[in-house]
C-alpha cells in the first residue's frame, strides 16, 4: 500500500512539474511607493492611503484624506479601532449586489456605508466565465482582451454612476474609504479619475495604480503557486489567465484613458462633461485635498 502511495505521489509530482513547465509566468509591474504611515488593518488586502504625492503644480496630496482597499469581509474587530482612529466615517462599496451578498463588509458602528456599483453581473456572467477558464476555453490573450474591454467600458458606459462616486469622494469633509473586491481595478480606475481631477500627471497616476501589485504581491504569488501545484486537477487551465486577472497592468489603465480621449477629446473634457466638474469647482477640490 505504501509503495502504491509513493508511486501515486511521484506521478502527481511529475505531472505537476510537467504542467508547470508549460506555463511561463510573467514579471508584474510594480510602482514606486510613497512614504506613508504604516497601517495595521488585519485581513484586508491592499489597504492604503493615497497621499504624499506631487501634482503638476507642485502641490502635495494631503495624507489621510483618501483611503482605498479590497473588500472588508474579513475586517477584524481589533481593526475597528484603527478605522475610527484614521477618522474614516464613510465607506463606498464599488462592488455589485452579487459580490456583496457573497462577502458583505464587516464594519464598525457609526460608519456610513454606501453601495455605488457601475455595473451588475447580469446572468451570472462571473460564474460562467470562471467555468470557461477551468475548462481551458479562455486563454491568456482572451483574458487580456476582457480586461482591456472592462476598463474601456467602466469609464464610459455608466457615466452617471462614475460621476456620483467621484463627486461623493471629492465632496467628503472627513476621510473616506472606497473599495471593490480586490481594490485594484474599479478602485484603481476611480482613484485615477480623482487624481486626474486634482491635476496629477499620467505618470504619477499610473504609478499609484501599479502600487496595487506591491501590496498584493504575496497574495497573488501564493495563488499562482497553488494553481501551478494543482494544475493536474485542471490541466486545461491557462495560468496566464490568472496572471492577467490578478495583476494590474499599465495597458489596462491606459485603455480607460485612451477611451476617454477617443470619446471626449481629452481628460479635461471628460472632467467637465461627464463628471460635471467646472474649472472653478476643480480648483476648489485642489485647494481642499492638496497643499
Amino acid at each position: 500500500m505504501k509503495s502504491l502511495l509513493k508511486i501515486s505521489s511521484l506521478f502527481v509530482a511529475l505531472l505537476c512539474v510537467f504542467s508547470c513547465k508549460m506555463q511561463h509566468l510573467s514579471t508584474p509591474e510594480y510602482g514606486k511607493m510613497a512614504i506613508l504611515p504604516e497601517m495595521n488593518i488585519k485581513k484586508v488586502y491592499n489597504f492604503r492611503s493615497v497621499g504624499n504625492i506631487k501634482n503638476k503644480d507642485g502641490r502635495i496630496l494631503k495624507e489621510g484624506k483618501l483611503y482605498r482597499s479590497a473588500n472588508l469581509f474579513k475586517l477584524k474587530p481589533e481593526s475597528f479601532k484603527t478605522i475610527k482612529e484614521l477618522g474614516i466615517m464613510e465607506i463606498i462599496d464599488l462592488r455589485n449586489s452579487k459580490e456583496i451578498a457573497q462577502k458583505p463588509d464587516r464594519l464598525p458602528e457609526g460608519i456610513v456605508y454606501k453601495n455605488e456599483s457601475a455595473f451588475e453581473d447580469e446572468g451570472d456572467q462571473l460564474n460562467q466565465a470562471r467555468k470557461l477558464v477551468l475548462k481551458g476555453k479562455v486563454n491568456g490573450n482572451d483574458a487580456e482582451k476582457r480586461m482591456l474591454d472592462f476598463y474601456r467600458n467602466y469609464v464610459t458606459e455608466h457615466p452617471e454612476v462614475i460621476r456620483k462616486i467621484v463627486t461623493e469622494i471629492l465632496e467628503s469633509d472627513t476621510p473616506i474609504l472606497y473599495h471593490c473586491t480586490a481594490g485594484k481595478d474599479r478602485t484603481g480606475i476611480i482613484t485615477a479619475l480623482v487624481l486626474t481631477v486634482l491635476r496629477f500627471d499620467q505618470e504619477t497616476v499610473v504609478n499609484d495604480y501599479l502600487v496595487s501589485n506591491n501590496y498584493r504581491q504575496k497574495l497573488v504569488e501564493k495563488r499562482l503557486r497553488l494553481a501551478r501545484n494543482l494544475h493536474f486537477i485542471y490541466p486545461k487551465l491557462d495560468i496566464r489567465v490568472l496572471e492577467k486577472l490578478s495583476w494590474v497592468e499599465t495597458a489596462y489603465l491606459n485603455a480607460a484613458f485612451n477611451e476617454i480621449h477617443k470619446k471626449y477629446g481629452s481628460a479635461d473634457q471628460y472632467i467637465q462633461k461627464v463628471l460635471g466638474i467646472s474649472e472653478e469647482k476643480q480648483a476648489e477640490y485642489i485647494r481642499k485635498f492638496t497643499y
Side-chain angles (χ1 to χ4, degrees):
M1 185 65 179
K2 287 184 179 180
S3 299
L4 184 60
L5 286 173
K6 285 182 180 180
I7 293 172
S8 177
S9 299
L10 179 61
F11 175 75
V12 168
L14 289 173
L15 186 58
C16 178
V17 168
F18 176 75
S19 63
C20 290
K21 285 182 178 178
M22 302 300 290
Q23 304 292 323
H24 301 287
L25 301 183
S26 61
T27 302
E29 302 173 87
Y30 294 105
K32 296 178 182 178
M33 297 175 65
I35 299 174
L36 295 167
E38 289 284 337
M39 287 171 286
N40 186 25
I41 306 293
K42 296 180 179 179
K43 296 295 183 178
V44 177
Y45 291 105
N46 209 6
F47 187 103
R48 67 187 198 262
S49 171
V50 184
N52 199 25
I53 50 178
K54 188 180 293 186
N55 77 358
K56 296 177 184 178
D57 305 317
R59 297 177 66 91
I60 306 296
L61 182 63
K62 296 176 182 177
E63 198 280 320
K65 300 281 284 185
L66 304 173
Y67 292 92
R68 52 178 292 180
S69 73
N71 72 76
L72 307 176
F73 176 61
K74 291 186 177 180
L75 182 66
K76 296 295 184 182
E78 53 261 42
S79 295
F80 288 0
K81 182 181 178 182
T82 306
I83 293 290
K84 290 195 172 183
E85 286 175 347
L86 293 174
I88 296 171
M89 300 300 295
E90 182 178 345
I91 290 174
I92 301 178
D93 192 338
L94 306 176
R95 297 176 297 167
N96 63 46
S97 57
K98 289 183 180 178
E99 292 172 292
I100 293 171
Q102 291 173 353
K103 294 186 176 182
D105 282 352
R106 298 181 62 186
L107 303 174
E109 291 184 5
I111 296 289
V112 176
Y113 171 86
K114 297 181 179 179
N115 172 222
E116 301 291 353
S117 177
F119 76 95
E120 285 296 328
D121 182 13
E122 302 293 343
D124 204 23
Q125 292 180 13
L126 288 177
N127 279 334
Q128 294 301 320
R130 191 176 295 113
K131 291 177 182 178
L132 291 175
V133 168
L134 295 177
K135 292 178 180 178
K137 301 292 185 180
V138 178
N139 61 35
N141 293 333
D142 297 328
E144 182 175 41
K145 182 180 182 303
R146 292 184 186 210
M147 290 301 295
L148 293 170
D149 288 343
F150 172 80
Y151 273 72
R152 294 187 190 102
N153 296 335
Y154 193 81
V155 292
T156 56
E157 282 199 349
H158 301 283
E160 68 288 346
V161 182
I162 299 297
R163 174 191 293 190
K164 190 175 181 181
I165 294 167
V166 172
T167 300
E168 187 79 32
I169 292 169
L170 292 172
E171 286 290 333
S172 176
D173 292 322
T174 59
I176 190 168
L177 167 64
Y178 50 96
H179 75 83
C180 52
T181 294
K184 65 184 183 72
D185 298 309
R186 286 163 288 186
T187 300
I189 293 171
I190 292 300
T191 303
L193 292 177
V194 168
L195 291 179
T196 300
V197 172
L198 298 178
R199 284 186 54 76
F200 285 86
D201 61 56
Q202 191 68 7
E203 182 180 350
T204 303
V205 170
V206 170
N207 182 75
D208 178 81
Y209 167 76
L210 291 176
V211 169
S212 281
N213 286 342
N214 301 54
Y215 275 82
R216 287 169 41 81
Q217 181 181 4
K218 290 182 180 179
L219 171 67
V220 175
E221 288 179 347
K222 181 179 178 181
R223 288 178 176 174
L224 291 175
R225 220 169 25 244
L226 182 64
R228 283 180 293 171
N229 291 340
L230 298 179
H231 199 255
F232 63 92
I233 299 177
Y234 297 105
K236 295 183 179 180
L237 169 67
D238 186 346
I239 299 294
R240 292 180 304 145
V241 173
L242 300 184
E243 287 184 318
K244 291 297 179 182
L245 300 180
S246 297
W247 301 114
V248 294
E249 298 183 17
T250 298
Y252 297 165
L253 192 61
N254 284 346
F257 278 95
N258 288 341
E259 190 69 11
I260 285 173
H261 283 265
K262 178 182 176 182
K263 193 166 184 178
Y264 298 98
S266 68
D268 288 337
Q269 288 296 306
Y270 183 84
I271 290 170
Q272 294 174 24
K273 293 180 178 180
V274 177
L275 302 182
I277 299 173
S278 65
E279 291 183 5
E280 293 77 14
K281 194 66 178 176
Q282 184 178 9
E284 180 185 319
Y285 289 143
I286 292 170
R287 290 191 297 271
K288 176 180 177 181
F289 284 92
T290 66
Y291 63 89

